[in-house]
Structure formats: structure tokens, C-alpha cells
PDB file of all heavy atoms in Angstrom:
ATOM      1  N   GLN A   1       6.341  -0.229  18.046  1.00 90.00           N
ATOM      2  CA  GLN A   1       5.028   0.015  18.623  1.00 90.00           C
ATOM      3  C   GLN A   1       5.143   0.084  20.136  1.00 90.00           C
ATOM      4  O   GLN A   1       5.571  -0.868  20.775  1.00 90.00           O
ATOM      5  CB  GLN A   1       4.048  -1.092  18.229  1.00 90.00           C
ATOM      6  CG  GLN A   1       2.643  -0.878  18.744  1.00 90.00           C
ATOM      7  CD  GLN A   1       1.980   0.360  18.150  1.00 90.00           C
ATOM      8  OE1 GLN A   1       1.911   0.510  16.943  1.00 90.00           O
ATOM      9  NE2 GLN A   1       1.506   1.251  19.002  1.00 90.00           N
ATOM     10  N   SER A   2       4.743   1.204  20.714  1.00 84.00           N
ATOM     11  CA  SER A   2       4.807   1.370  22.165  1.00 84.00           C
ATOM     12  C   SER A   2       3.691   0.587  22.836  1.00 84.00           C
ATOM     13  O   SER A   2       2.544   0.585  22.376  1.00 84.00           O
ATOM     14  CB  SER A   2       4.692   2.848  22.551  1.00 84.00           C
ATOM     15  OG  SER A   2       5.793   3.577  22.066  1.00 84.00           O
ATOM     16  N   VAL A   3       4.043  -0.094  23.922  1.00 71.00           N
ATOM     17  CA  VAL A   3       3.036  -0.757  24.730  1.00 71.00           C
ATOM     18  C   VAL A   3       2.125   0.291  25.357  1.00 71.00           C
ATOM     19  O   VAL A   3       0.924   0.127  25.460  1.00 71.00           O
ATOM     20  CB  VAL A   3       3.702  -1.633  25.807  1.00 71.00           C
ATOM     21  CG1 VAL A   3       2.660  -2.244  26.723  1.00 71.00           C
ATOM     22  CG2 VAL A   3       4.558  -2.708  25.153  1.00 71.00           C
ATOM     23  N   LYS A   4       2.716   1.374  25.794  1.00 72.00           N
ATOM     24  CA  LYS A   4       1.981   2.554  26.217  1.00 72.00           C
ATOM     25  C   LYS A   4       2.773   3.745  25.720  1.00 72.00           C
ATOM     26  O   LYS A   4       3.925   3.607  25.281  1.00 72.00           O
ATOM     27  CB  LYS A   4       1.826   2.593  27.737  1.00 72.00           C
ATOM     28  CG  LYS A   4       3.146   2.633  28.499  1.00 72.00           C
ATOM     29  CD  LYS A   4       2.894   2.690  29.994  1.00 72.00           C
ATOM     30  CE  LYS A   4       4.220   2.747  30.762  1.00 72.00           C
ATOM     31  NZ  LYS A   4       3.994   2.835  32.214  1.00 72.00           N
ATOM     32  N   LYS A   5       2.161   4.902  25.758  1.00 68.00           N
ATOM     33  CA  LYS A   5       2.810   6.080  25.209  1.00 68.00           C
ATOM     34  C   LYS A   5       4.147   6.320  25.896  1.00 68.00           C
ATOM     35  O   LYS A   5       4.240   6.421  27.106  1.00 68.00           O
ATOM     36  CB  LYS A   5       1.905   7.302  25.377  1.00 68.00           C
ATOM     37  CG  LYS A   5       2.405   8.521  24.602  1.00 68.00           C
ATOM     38  CD  LYS A   5       1.402   9.648  24.660  1.00 68.00           C
ATOM     39  CE  LYS A   5       1.907  10.841  23.839  1.00 68.00           C
ATOM     40  NZ  LYS A   5       0.935  11.955  23.870  1.00 68.00           N
ATOM     41  N   GLY A   6       5.203   6.410  25.107  1.00 66.00           N
ATOM     42  CA  GLY A   6       6.554   6.568  25.660  1.00 66.00           C
ATOM     43  C   GLY A   6       7.289   5.254  25.629  1.00 66.00           C
ATOM     44  O   GLY A   6       7.597   4.732  24.578  1.00 66.00           O
ATOM     45  N   ASN A   7       7.567   4.675  26.786  1.00 77.00           N
ATOM     46  CA  ASN A   7       8.296   3.411  26.919  1.00 77.00           C
ATOM     47  C   ASN A   7       7.482   2.455  27.762  1.00 77.00           C
ATOM     48  O   ASN A   7       6.655   2.874  28.566  1.00 77.00           O
ATOM     49  CB  ASN A   7       9.662   3.657  27.581  1.00 77.00           C
ATOM     50  CG  ASN A   7      10.675   4.158  26.585  1.00 77.00           C
ATOM     51  OD1 ASN A   7      10.868   3.571  25.535  1.00 77.00           O
ATOM     52  ND2 ASN A   7      11.311   5.266  26.913  1.00 77.00           N
ATOM     53  N   PRO A   8       7.725   1.166  27.668  1.00 88.00           N
ATOM     54  CA  PRO A   8       8.602   0.479  26.729  1.00 88.00           C
ATOM     55  C   PRO A   8       7.935   0.278  25.371  1.00 88.00           C
ATOM     56  O   PRO A   8       6.792   0.682  25.180  1.00 88.00           O
ATOM     57  CB  PRO A   8       8.838  -0.870  27.424  1.00 88.00           C
ATOM     58  CG  PRO A   8       7.577  -1.094  28.176  1.00 88.00           C
ATOM     59  CD  PRO A   8       7.103   0.257  28.634  1.00 88.00           C
ATOM     60  N   TYR A   9       8.659  -0.365  24.449  1.00 92.00           N
ATOM     61  CA  TYR A   9       8.089  -0.597  23.127  1.00 92.00           C
ATOM     62  C   TYR A   9       8.562  -1.941  22.576  1.00 92.00           C
ATOM     63  O   TYR A   9       9.589  -2.479  22.981  1.00 92.00           O
ATOM     64  CB  TYR A   9       8.471   0.524  22.156  1.00 92.00           C
ATOM     65  CG  TYR A   9       9.945   0.651  21.867  1.00 92.00           C
ATOM     66  CD1 TYR A   9      10.548  -0.061  20.824  1.00 92.00           C
ATOM     67  CD2 TYR A   9      10.752   1.493  22.630  1.00 92.00           C
ATOM     68  CE1 TYR A   9      11.899   0.061  20.554  1.00 92.00           C
ATOM     69  CE2 TYR A   9      12.108   1.625  22.367  1.00 92.00           C
ATOM     70  CZ  TYR A   9      12.668   0.906  21.320  1.00 92.00           C
ATOM     71  OH  TYR A   9      14.012   1.032  21.060  1.00 92.00           O
ATOM     72  N   LEU A  10       7.778  -2.469  21.669  1.00 95.00           N
ATOM     73  CA  LEU A  10       8.135  -3.668  20.921  1.00 95.00           C
ATOM     74  C   LEU A  10       8.618  -3.238  19.545  1.00 95.00           C
ATOM     75  O   LEU A  10       8.166  -2.225  19.006  1.00 95.00           O
ATOM     76  CB  LEU A  10       6.929  -4.599  20.792  1.00 95.00           C
ATOM     77  CG  LEU A  10       6.341  -5.146  22.096  1.00 95.00           C
ATOM     78  CD1 LEU A  10       5.087  -5.958  21.800  1.00 95.00           C
ATOM     79  CD2 LEU A  10       7.365  -6.007  22.824  1.00 95.00           C
ATOM     80  N   ALA A  11       9.519  -4.032  18.958  1.00 96.00           N
ATOM     81  CA  ALA A  11      10.065  -3.649  17.667  1.00 96.00           C
ATOM     82  C   ALA A  11      10.495  -4.877  16.884  1.00 96.00           C
ATOM     83  O   ALA A  11      10.838  -5.917  17.456  1.00 96.00           O
ATOM     84  CB  ALA A  11      11.258  -2.699  17.845  1.00 96.00           C
ATOM     85  N   ALA A  12      10.490  -4.730  15.572  1.00 98.00           N
ATOM     86  CA  ALA A  12      10.926  -5.809  14.687  1.00 98.00           C
ATOM     87  C   ALA A  12      11.509  -5.190  13.420  1.00 98.00           C
ATOM     88  O   ALA A  12      11.126  -4.084  13.019  1.00 98.00           O
ATOM     89  CB  ALA A  12       9.772  -6.740  14.341  1.00 98.00           C
ATOM     90  N   SER A  13      12.433  -5.910  12.807  1.00 98.00           N
ATOM     91  CA  SER A  13      13.020  -5.438  11.556  1.00 98.00           C
ATOM     92  C   SER A  13      13.396  -6.621  10.679  1.00 98.00           C
ATOM     93  O   SER A  13      13.717  -7.709  11.178  1.00 98.00           O
ATOM     94  CB  SER A  13      14.254  -4.565  11.812  1.00 98.00           C
ATOM     95  OG  SER A  13      15.279  -5.314  12.457  1.00 98.00           O
ATOM     96  N   VAL A  14      13.339  -6.416   9.383  1.00 98.00           N
ATOM     97  CA  VAL A  14      13.802  -7.401   8.402  1.00 98.00           C
ATOM     98  C   VAL A  14      14.592  -6.647   7.343  1.00 98.00           C
ATOM     99  O   VAL A  14      14.258  -5.509   6.991  1.00 98.00           O
ATOM    100  CB  VAL A  14      12.632  -8.172   7.755  1.00 98.00           C
ATOM    101  CG1 VAL A  14      11.966  -9.082   8.757  1.00 98.00           C
ATOM    102  CG2 VAL A  14      11.618  -7.212   7.145  1.00 98.00           C
ATOM    103  N   SER A  15      15.646  -7.263   6.849  1.00 98.00           N
ATOM    104  CA  SER A  15      16.459  -6.612   5.811  1.00 98.00           C
ATOM    105  C   SER A  15      17.081  -7.650   4.896  1.00 98.00           C
ATOM    106  O   SER A  15      17.311  -8.800   5.287  1.00 98.00           O
ATOM    107  CB  SER A  15      17.559  -5.752   6.442  1.00 98.00           C
ATOM    108  OG  SER A  15      18.516  -6.553   7.126  1.00 98.00           O
ATOM    109  N   TYR A  16      17.331  -7.202   3.685  1.00 98.00           N
ATOM    110  CA  TYR A  16      18.072  -8.005   2.705  1.00 98.00           C
ATOM    111  C   TYR A  16      19.169  -7.131   2.135  1.00 98.00           C
ATOM    112  O   TYR A  16      18.914  -6.016   1.663  1.00 98.00           O
ATOM    113  CB  TYR A  16      17.161  -8.494   1.580  1.00 98.00           C
ATOM    114  CG  TYR A  16      17.906  -9.081   0.401  1.00 98.00           C
ATOM    115  CD1 TYR A  16      18.518 -10.339   0.482  1.00 98.00           C
ATOM    116  CD2 TYR A  16      18.021  -8.371  -0.796  1.00 98.00           C
ATOM    117  CE1 TYR A  16      19.213 -10.874  -0.595  1.00 98.00           C
ATOM    118  CE2 TYR A  16      18.717  -8.892  -1.885  1.00 98.00           C
ATOM    119  CZ  TYR A  16      19.312 -10.146  -1.778  1.00 98.00           C
ATOM    120  OH  TYR A  16      20.010 -10.675  -2.844  1.00 98.00           O
ATOM    121  N   VAL A  17      20.405  -7.612   2.199  1.00 98.00           N
ATOM    122  CA  VAL A  17      21.559  -6.890   1.664  1.00 98.00           C
ATOM    123  C   VAL A  17      22.274  -7.787   0.668  1.00 98.00           C
ATOM    124  O   VAL A  17      22.644  -8.921   0.993  1.00 98.00           O
ATOM    125  CB  VAL A  17      22.539  -6.473   2.780  1.00 98.00           C
ATOM    126  CG1 VAL A  17      23.755  -5.768   2.178  1.00 98.00           C
ATOM    127  CG2 VAL A  17      21.854  -5.561   3.785  1.00 98.00           C
ATOM    128  N   ALA A  18      22.455  -7.283  -0.550  1.00 96.00           N
ATOM    129  CA  ALA A  18      23.169  -8.020  -1.598  1.00 96.00           C
ATOM    130  C   ALA A  18      24.549  -7.409  -1.765  1.00 96.00           C
ATOM    131  O   ALA A  18      24.687  -6.284  -2.256  1.00 96.00           O
ATOM    132  CB  ALA A  18      22.398  -7.981  -2.904  1.00 96.00           C
ATOM    133  N   LYS A  19      25.555  -8.141  -1.346  1.00 93.00           N
ATOM    134  CA  LYS A  19      26.929  -7.642  -1.338  1.00 93.00           C
ATOM    135  C   LYS A  19      27.444  -7.344  -2.742  1.00 93.00           C
ATOM    136  O   LYS A  19      28.215  -6.400  -2.944  1.00 93.00           O
ATOM    137  CB  LYS A  19      27.814  -8.683  -0.653  1.00 93.00           C
ATOM    138  CG  LYS A  19      29.245  -8.293  -0.440  1.00 93.00           C
ATOM    139  CD  LYS A  19      29.965  -9.402   0.321  1.00 93.00           C
ATOM    140  CE  LYS A  19      31.414  -9.071   0.596  1.00 93.00           C
ATOM    141  NZ  LYS A  19      32.077 -10.166   1.357  1.00 93.00           N
ATOM    142  N   GLU A  20      27.028  -8.170  -3.729  1.00 93.00           N
ATOM    143  CA  GLU A  20      27.535  -8.031  -5.100  1.00 93.00           C
ATOM    144  C   GLU A  20      26.414  -7.638  -6.052  1.00 93.00           C
ATOM    145  O   GLU A  20      26.341  -8.100  -7.189  1.00 93.00           O
ATOM    146  CB  GLU A  20      28.165  -9.348  -5.554  1.00 93.00           C
ATOM    147  CG  GLU A  20      29.244  -9.886  -4.643  1.00 93.00           C
ATOM    148  CD  GLU A  20      30.500  -9.033  -4.625  1.00 93.00           C
ATOM    149  OE1 GLU A  20      30.621  -8.146  -5.493  1.00 93.00           O
ATOM    150  OE2 GLU A  20      31.360  -9.232  -3.753  1.00 93.00           O
ATOM    151  N   ALA A  21      25.525  -6.763  -5.632  1.00 94.00           N
ATOM    152  CA  ALA A  21      24.344  -6.417  -6.427  1.00 94.00           C
ATOM    153  C   ALA A  21      24.677  -5.728  -7.741  1.00 94.00           C
ATOM    154  O   ALA A  21      23.873  -5.740  -8.674  1.00 94.00           O
ATOM    155  CB  ALA A  21      23.412  -5.526  -5.597  1.00 94.00           C
ATOM    156  N   GLN A  22      25.853  -5.132  -7.837  1.00 94.00           N
ATOM    157  CA  GLN A  22      26.205  -4.367  -9.025  1.00 94.00           C
ATOM    158  C   GLN A  22      26.650  -5.235 -10.197  1.00 94.00           C
ATOM    159  O   GLN A  22      26.766  -4.757 -11.327  1.00 94.00           O
ATOM    160  CB  GLN A  22      27.305  -3.358  -8.689  1.00 94.00           C
ATOM    161  CG  GLN A  22      28.706  -3.936  -8.538  1.00 94.00           C
ATOM    162  CD  GLN A  22      28.950  -4.596  -7.188  1.00 94.00           C
ATOM    163  OE1 GLN A  22      28.030  -4.683  -6.370  1.00 94.00           O
ATOM    164  NE2 GLN A  22      30.155  -5.040  -6.945  1.00 94.00           N
ATOM    165  N   LYS A  23      26.878  -6.531  -9.968  1.00 93.00           N
ATOM    166  CA  LYS A  23      27.402  -7.415 -11.011  1.00 93.00           C
ATOM    167  C   LYS A  23      26.263  -8.101 -11.768  1.00 93.00           C
ATOM    168  O   LYS A  23      25.315  -8.606 -11.161  1.00 93.00           O
ATOM    169  CB  LYS A  23      28.327  -8.460 -10.395  1.00 93.00           C
ATOM    170  CG  LYS A  23      29.574  -7.857  -9.746  1.00 93.00           C
ATOM    171  CD  LYS A  23      30.465  -8.932  -9.140  1.00 93.00           C
ATOM    172  CE  LYS A  23      31.698  -8.324  -8.490  1.00 93.00           C
ATOM    173  NZ  LYS A  23      32.564  -9.354  -7.859  1.00 93.00           N
ATOM    174  N   GLY A  24      26.379  -8.146 -13.098  1.00 93.00           N
ATOM    175  CA  GLY A  24      25.318  -8.690 -13.939  1.00 93.00           C
ATOM    176  C   GLY A  24      25.321 -10.193 -14.096  1.00 93.00           C
ATOM    177  O   GLY A  24      24.287 -10.787 -14.410  1.00 93.00           O
ATOM    178  N   ASN A  25      26.461 -10.854 -13.895  1.00 92.00           N
ATOM    179  CA  ASN A  25      26.538 -12.314 -14.013  1.00 92.00           C
ATOM    180  C   ASN A  25      25.911 -12.935 -12.765  1.00 92.00           C
ATOM    181  O   ASN A  25      26.417 -12.760 -11.660  1.00 92.00           O
ATOM    182  CB  ASN A  25      27.998 -12.746 -14.140  1.00 92.00           C
ATOM    183  CG  ASN A  25      28.138 -14.239 -14.406  1.00 92.00           C
ATOM    184  OD1 ASN A  25      27.245 -15.029 -14.100  1.00 92.00           O
ATOM    185  ND2 ASN A  25      29.268 -14.631 -14.981  1.00 92.00           N
ATOM    186  N   PRO A  26      24.810 -13.694 -12.909  1.00 89.00           N
ATOM    187  CA  PRO A  26      24.137 -14.252 -11.721  1.00 89.00           C
ATOM    188  C   PRO A  26      24.992 -15.223 -10.927  1.00 89.00           C
ATOM    189  O   PRO A  26      24.682 -15.504  -9.770  1.00 89.00           O
ATOM    190  CB  PRO A  26      22.905 -14.939 -12.314  1.00 89.00           C
ATOM    191  CG  PRO A  26      23.261 -15.209 -13.741  1.00 89.00           C
ATOM    192  CD  PRO A  26      24.132 -14.078 -14.162  1.00 89.00           C
ATOM    193  N   ASN A  27      26.047 -15.749 -11.530  1.00 85.00           N
ATOM    194  CA  ASN A  27      26.953 -16.641 -10.798  1.00 85.00           C
ATOM    195  C   ASN A  27      27.949 -15.870  -9.945  1.00 85.00           C
ATOM    196  O   ASN A  27      28.608 -16.437  -9.070  1.00 85.00           O
ATOM    197  CB  ASN A  27      27.709 -17.543 -11.775  1.00 85.00           C
ATOM    198  CG  ASN A  27      26.789 -18.485 -12.529  1.00 85.00           C
ATOM    199  OD1 ASN A  27      25.876 -19.062 -11.942  1.00 85.00           O
ATOM    200  ND2 ASN A  27      27.013 -18.617 -13.833  1.00 85.00           N
ATOM    201  N   GLU A  28      28.048 -14.557 -10.213  1.00 86.00           N
ATOM    202  CA  GLU A  28      29.005 -13.738  -9.487  1.00 86.00           C
ATOM    203  C   GLU A  28      28.358 -12.579  -8.733  1.00 86.00           C
ATOM    204  O   GLU A  28      29.003 -11.954  -7.884  1.00 86.00           O
ATOM    205  CB  GLU A  28      30.045 -13.159 -10.462  1.00 86.00           C
ATOM    206  CG  GLU A  28      30.866 -14.220 -11.167  1.00 86.00           C
ATOM    207  CD  GLU A  28      31.846 -13.612 -12.154  1.00 86.00           C
ATOM    208  OE1 GLU A  28      31.768 -12.375 -12.371  1.00 86.00           O
ATOM    209  OE2 GLU A  28      32.674 -14.354 -12.708  1.00 86.00           O
ATOM    210  N   GLY A  29      27.111 -12.284  -9.047  1.00 90.00           N
ATOM    211  CA  GLY A  29      26.469 -11.151  -8.404  1.00 90.00           C
ATOM    212  C   GLY A  29      25.000 -11.057  -8.744  1.00 90.00           C
ATOM    213  O   GLY A  29      24.363 -12.031  -9.148  1.00 90.00           O
ATOM    214  N   GLY A  30      24.447  -9.844  -8.542  1.00 93.00           N
ATOM    215  CA  GLY A  30      23.035  -9.612  -8.775  1.00 93.00           C
ATOM    216  C   GLY A  30      22.233  -9.642  -7.482  1.00 93.00           C
ATOM    217  O   GLY A  30      22.755  -9.878  -6.392  1.00 93.00           O
ATOM    218  N   ILE A  31      20.938  -9.405  -7.627  1.00 94.00           N
ATOM    219  CA  ILE A  31      20.017  -9.405  -6.493  1.00 94.00           C
ATOM    220  C   ILE A  31      19.166 -10.672  -6.522  1.00 94.00           C
ATOM    221  O   ILE A  31      18.625 -11.045  -7.568  1.00 94.00           O
ATOM    222  CB  ILE A  31      19.114  -8.160  -6.531  1.00 94.00           C
ATOM    223  CG1 ILE A  31      19.977  -6.893  -6.371  1.00 94.00           C
ATOM    224  CG2 ILE A  31      18.060  -8.205  -5.427  1.00 94.00           C
ATOM    225  CD1 ILE A  31      19.206  -5.607  -6.507  1.00 94.00           C
ATOM    226  N   MET A  32      19.070 -11.351  -5.391  1.00 93.00           N
ATOM    227  CA  MET A  32      18.319 -12.594  -5.252  1.00 93.00           C
ATOM    228  C   MET A  32      18.850 -13.683  -6.185  1.00 93.00           C
ATOM    229  O   MET A  32      18.092 -14.484  -6.739  1.00 93.00           O
ATOM    230  CB  MET A  32      16.824 -12.369  -5.515  1.00 93.00           C
ATOM    231  CG  MET A  32      16.161 -11.441  -4.530  1.00 93.00           C
ATOM    232  SD  MET A  32      16.044 -12.160  -2.869  1.00 93.00           S
ATOM    233  CE  MET A  32      15.155 -10.880  -2.000  1.00 93.00           C
ATOM    234  N   THR A  33      20.160 -13.705  -6.354  1.00 90.00           N
ATOM    235  CA  THR A  33      20.807 -14.737  -7.167  1.00 90.00           C
ATOM    236  C   THR A  33      21.730 -15.562  -6.270  1.00 90.00           C
ATOM    237  O   THR A  33      22.043 -15.177  -5.143  1.00 90.00           O
ATOM    238  CB  THR A  33      21.630 -14.121  -8.312  1.00 90.00           C
ATOM    239  OG1 THR A  33      22.679 -13.322  -7.737  1.00 90.00           O
ATOM    240  CG2 THR A  33      20.762 -13.245  -9.201  1.00 90.00           C
ATOM    241  N   ASP A  34      22.185 -16.713  -6.772  1.00 86.00           N
ATOM    242  CA  ASP A  34      23.085 -17.554  -5.977  1.00 86.00           C
ATOM    243  C   ASP A  34      24.425 -16.891  -5.731  1.00 86.00           C
ATOM    244  O   ASP A  34      25.089 -17.176  -4.727  1.00 86.00           O
ATOM    245  CB  ASP A  34      23.306 -18.897  -6.700  1.00 86.00           C
ATOM    246  CG  ASP A  34      22.076 -19.771  -6.707  1.00 86.00           C
ATOM    247  OD1 ASP A  34      21.195 -19.537  -5.860  1.00 86.00           O
ATOM    248  OD2 ASP A  34      21.984 -20.670  -7.575  1.00 86.00           O
ATOM    249  N   GLY A  35      24.829 -16.008  -6.643  1.00 86.00           N
ATOM    250  CA  GLY A  35      26.140 -15.356  -6.496  1.00 86.00           C
ATOM    251  C   GLY A  35      26.071 -13.953  -5.946  1.00 86.00           C
ATOM    252  O   GLY A  35      27.080 -13.231  -5.957  1.00 86.00           O
ATOM    253  N   GLY A  36      24.905 -13.513  -5.454  1.00 89.00           N
ATOM    254  CA  GLY A  36      24.748 -12.123  -5.022  1.00 89.00           C
ATOM    255  C   GLY A  36      25.336 -11.803  -3.673  1.00 89.00           C
ATOM    256  O   GLY A  36      25.434 -10.638  -3.297  1.00 89.00           O
ATOM    257  N   GLY A  37      25.755 -12.846  -2.923  1.00 90.00           N
ATOM    258  CA  GLY A  37      26.280 -12.588  -1.585  1.00 90.00           C
ATOM    259  C   GLY A  37      25.230 -11.980  -0.682  1.00 90.00           C
ATOM    260  O   GLY A  37      25.475 -10.984   0.007  1.00 90.00           O
ATOM    261  N   GLY A  38      24.067 -12.587  -0.655  1.00 93.00           N
ATOM    262  CA  GLY A  38      22.948 -12.020   0.085  1.00 93.00           C
ATOM    263  C   GLY A  38      22.942 -12.375   1.563  1.00 93.00           C
ATOM    264  O   GLY A  38      23.316 -13.479   1.957  1.00 93.00           O
ATOM    265  N   SER A  39      22.487 -11.439   2.375  1.00 96.00           N
ATOM    266  CA  SER A  39      22.278 -11.654   3.804  1.00 96.00           C
ATOM    267  C   SER A  39      20.839 -11.262   4.136  1.00 96.00           C
ATOM    268  O   SER A  39      20.431 -10.115   3.910  1.00 96.00           O
ATOM    269  CB  SER A  39      23.237 -10.808   4.654  1.00 96.00           C
ATOM    270  OG  SER A  39      24.537 -11.361   4.674  1.00 96.00           O
ATOM    271  N   PHE A  40      20.071 -12.206   4.671  1.00 97.00           N
ATOM    272  CA  PHE A  40      18.717 -11.948   5.140  1.00 97.00           C
ATOM    273  C   PHE A  40      18.773 -11.871   6.667  1.00 97.00           C
ATOM    274  O   PHE A  40      19.113 -12.858   7.313  1.00 97.00           O
ATOM    275  CB  PHE A  40      17.767 -13.056   4.703  1.00 97.00           C
ATOM    276  CG  PHE A  40      17.661 -13.243   3.210  1.00 97.00           C
ATOM    277  CD1 PHE A  40      18.586 -14.022   2.535  1.00 97.00           C
ATOM    278  CD2 PHE A  40      16.645 -12.637   2.493  1.00 97.00           C
ATOM    279  CE1 PHE A  40      18.500 -14.204   1.160  1.00 97.00           C
ATOM    280  CE2 PHE A  40      16.553 -12.810   1.119  1.00 97.00           C
ATOM    281  CZ  PHE A  40      17.479 -13.593   0.454  1.00 97.00           C
ATOM    282  N   THR A  41      18.423 -10.725   7.224  1.00 98.00           N
ATOM    283  CA  THR A  41      18.527 -10.525   8.675  1.00 98.00           C
ATOM    284  C   THR A  41      17.170 -10.134   9.248  1.00 98.00           C
ATOM    285  O   THR A  41      16.475  -9.277   8.687  1.00 98.00           O
ATOM    286  CB  THR A  41      19.555  -9.430   9.009  1.00 98.00           C
ATOM    287  OG1 THR A  41      20.800  -9.728   8.375  1.00 98.00           O
ATOM    288  CG2 THR A  41      19.776  -9.327  10.511  1.00 98.00           C
ATOM    289  N   ALA A  42      16.801 -10.762  10.355  1.00 98.00           N
ATOM    290  CA  ALA A  42      15.547 -10.434  11.039  1.00 98.00           C
ATOM    291  C   ALA A  42      15.835 -10.267  12.529  1.00 98.00           C
ATOM    292  O   ALA A  42      16.623 -11.009  13.113  1.00 98.00           O
ATOM    293  CB  ALA A  42      14.507 -11.527  10.823  1.00 98.00           C
ATOM    294  N   GLN A  43      15.188  -9.271  13.128  1.00 98.00           N
ATOM    295  CA  GLN A  43      15.368  -9.014  14.559  1.00 98.00           C
ATOM    296  C   GLN A  43      14.010  -8.752  15.214  1.00 98.00           C
ATOM    297  O   GLN A  43      13.137  -8.096  14.628  1.00 98.00           O
ATOM    298  CB  GLN A  43      16.266  -7.791  14.786  1.00 98.00           C
ATOM    299  CG  GLN A  43      16.592  -7.518  16.253  1.00 98.00           C
ATOM    300  CD  GLN A  43      17.149  -6.126  16.486  1.00 98.00           C
ATOM    301  OE1 GLN A  43      16.485  -5.124  16.226  1.00 98.00           O
ATOM    302  NE2 GLN A  43      18.393  -6.057  16.961  1.00 98.00           N
TER     303      GLN A  43
END
């Protein structure tokens, strides 16, 4: 969101990445599981 048209601007982002999302065993992978290797990042 620009403070005024053009520059400068404020910005924010959030993301979730599951490193082992392709695996069906929740102990070894999956999404939002203990074994999914998840990273929650906010900026």
C-alpha cells in the first residue's frame, strides 16, 4: 500500500511452506503436521 501515489510504500507478507508436503505419513510429512517440515514466515 503506497503512502502516496508512487513511493514510498508499506508492505507485509505471510507464507507457509511445507518441505515434506508430498508424504502421507503425518510423522514424516504432510501439510500442517508435526512431520511436514513447515516454515511460517512473516515480514
Side-chain angles (χ1 to χ4, degrees):
Q1 182 64 54
S2 295
V3 176
K4 60 179 181 179
K5 190 173 182 179
N7 279 308
Y9 64 89
L10 298 175
S13 63
V14 291
S15 67
Y16 168 73
V17 178
K19 185 177 181 179
E20 305 292 348
Q22 76 280 4
K23 296 180 180 178
N25 186 337
N27 296 318
E28 298 178 353
I31 296 175
M32 297 291 183
T33 63
D34 290 340
S39 283
F40 300 84
T41 307
Q43 184 196 62

